[in-house]
Amino acid sequence: MLKNSGIRSAAVVNIIIILLAAIGVLIRMCTILPSPPIYNVDQTHRVLLDEPTVYPWARNHIRPLDVIPDPSKETSIFWHIPKSGGTAVKTLYECLGTTLANQVGVDPKFNYQDKNEVIAFHPWPGISRASYVNVDTSSKPGLNRARKMGLVPSGLVDLIITSEVSHAVENLFDESHKGHILALFRHPVDRLVSKFFYLREATWEPQYRPQWKNINILEFAKNKNRENNYVVKKLTGLRVNDMATEEDLRIAMRTIKMRFVVGLLDEMEESVRRFNVVMGIDETDKENRECINHLVHDSIGAKNYNSDARLHKVEPGSTVW
């Protein structure tokens, strides 16, 4: 009996020692401060690099996708990625009679460009239902002016169209005025092919490249194309010549997944349906329905915007691809 009692006592002592050691480990774990998080070098777009996340400008100023849109109180922003159907989207929402913001609102012929307050006006009364506000959201200086004028808090604009998506969201929206982002994406190869054939003919564009008429698409791809990771760099806030990293790609993908209402140029009808839900467009209205059908189905609409892709198709796996 004494022997067994001694054994039990020793066992109890061992258990107590183990428990005390475990408690000591827990206390040390709770009192050790975690290492400071690692941020990227761009302090304007700081993000944690040790966990999946979204960019702060999107997390703080854009509604998550599981939040039901309220078009009567919220402003949407459309990210215009060049040669990805952005002009088609602008034309659609002009036809639908929404109030837009891009560079049209500061065209001198309308005489609103010098006003210091946000004004919504009809540029083409009797011809189009569209209205515009007197700001230019196509450039960073224009976006900065729009911020000072209080564009989003004014509640006068339905859809902001811009290529400078991170700068626009960061400067125009805030914690009290959050919005939604719409974006229409296109395969990057198709987009660059479209860019090549468009800019060598588009005399009205500042980026007009008549010299590209003397080269073929392969030479453009090898020697003239300077775009590299355009979408990722725009989301990250990087410049054209900066290098995008795998980490930039990972966070950009998560930001799109968590905050963007995504449309695809090849699926225009479904894309427009998604955008209209966010924008509060009544698709049963006869006039609205005509606008949508014109874009999605009519030969002057969708086929026109996709004609370059059909005429100059680059086959996957080819040298040009």
Side-chain angles (χ1 to χ4, degrees):
M1 291 292 294
L2 291 175
K3 183 177 180 180
N4 291 338
S5 177
I7 292 172
R8 286 196 296 273
S9 298
V12 171
V13 170
N14 288 334
I15 292 172
I16 292 173
I17 292 172
I18 292 171
L19 289 173
L20 289 173
I23 292 171
V25 170
L26 288 173
I27 292 173
R28 288 195 298 274
M29 289 175 64
C30 292
T31 55
I32 295 174
L33 293 175
S35 300
I38 301 173
Y39 292 96
N40 69 351
V41 295
D42 183 356
Q43 295 301 305
T44 304
H45 301 276
R46 293 192 307 170
V47 292
L48 288 168
L49 297 185
D50 55 357
E51 63 176 351
T53 186
V54 301
Y55 291 111
W57 55 263
R59 183 177 63 245
N60 298 332
H61 296 171
I62 296 299
R63 301 281 186 199
L65 295 179
D66 59 358
V67 174
I68 298 175
D70 185 354
S72 66
K73 298 179 180 179
E74 297 168 342
T75 300
S76 293
I77 184 167
F78 175 74
W79 181 20
H80 187 168
I81 302 171
K83 304 311 298 172
S84 298
T87 301
V89 171
K90 179 178 73 69
T91 301
L92 170 65
Y93 286 104
E94 285 180 344
C95 184
L96 291 170
T98 60
T99 301
L100 307 177
N102 72 348
Q103 70 268 34
V104 172
V106 296
D107 190 317
K109 67 185 177 185
F110 301 122
N111 202 30
Y112 288 99
Q113 73 277 9
D114 295 325
K115 305 292 184 182
N116 292 322
E117 61 179 338
V118 180
I119 298 173
F121 65 97
H122 293 274
W124 312 287
I127 299 174
S128 170
R129 294 192 291 167
S131 63
Y132 276 89
V133 287
N134 57 326
V135 298
D136 179 4
T137 55
S138 66
S139 67
K140 289 183 178 180
L143 289 167
N144 293 340
R145 175 175 175 269
R147 179 195 66 225
K148 293 176 182 178
M149 293 170 64
L151 175 62
V152 172
S154 75
L156 293 176
V157 62
D158 298 315
L159 184 64
I160 297 167
I161 301 174
T162 184
S163 295
E164 303 291 346
V165 62
S166 61
H167 189 85
V169 172
E170 191 167 48
N171 286 278
L172 298 183
F173 297 82
D174 56 42
E175 293 280 354
S176 300
H177 302 91
K178 296 186 178 182
H180 298 272
I181 297 185
L182 319 177
L184 196 62
F185 293 91
R186 186 180 193 179
H187 193 287
V189 173
D190 291 338
R191 191 177 71 79
L192 287 174
V193 170
S194 175
K195 174 184 174 180
F196 169 69
F197 286 103
Y198 174 73
L199 288 182
R200 68 181 196 169
E201 304 292 342
T203 56
W204 55 91
E205 291 284 1
Q207 299 85 16
Y208 174 49
R209 296 291 185 272
Q211 63 272 25
W212 287 359
K213 295 180 181 180
N214 301 319
I215 64 174
N216 58 31
I217 186 65
L218 180 59
E219 184 176 347
F220 166 77
K222 286 183 175 180
N223 302 317
K224 300 298 181 181
N225 176 43
R226 296 292 180 264
E227 279 194 23
N228 186 17
N229 297 315
Y230 175 90
V231 168
V232 174
K233 289 179 180 179
K234 278 294 182 181
L235 292 174
T236 310
L238 295 173
R239 294 168 297 186
V240 174
N241 294 325
D242 291 338
M243 289 293 294
T245 66
E246 289 290 332
E247 191 66 29
D248 292 325
L249 172 62
R250 184 172 68 94
I251 300 174
M253 291 173 64
R254 184 166 179 83
T255 298
I256 292 172
K257 180 179 179 180
M258 301 300 291
R259 289 296 192 276
F260 279 61
V261 179
V262 171
L264 301 177
L265 185 63
D266 290 339
E267 300 290 341
M268 184 64 89
E269 186 168 11
E270 170 60 19
S271 302
V272 167
R273 187 194 67 79
R274 294 183 181 190
F275 296 166
N276 286 345
V277 169
V278 177
M279 295 287 294
I281 299 297
D282 181 6
E283 293 193 349
T284 64
D285 177 84
K286 180 181 178 181
E287 201 167 358
N288 290 349
R289 191 68 246 165
E290 289 176 354
C291 292
I292 296 168
N293 286 336
H294 171 75
L295 174 70
V296 175
H297 300 297
D298 290 355
S299 60
I300 302 177
K303 291 181 181 177
N304 179 57
Y305 292 118
N306 288 284
S307 60
D308 57 354
R310 293 184 295 106
L311 294 173
H312 308 292
K313 183 69 175 175
V314 173
E315 294 300 326
S318 65
T319 303
V320 176
W321 181 277

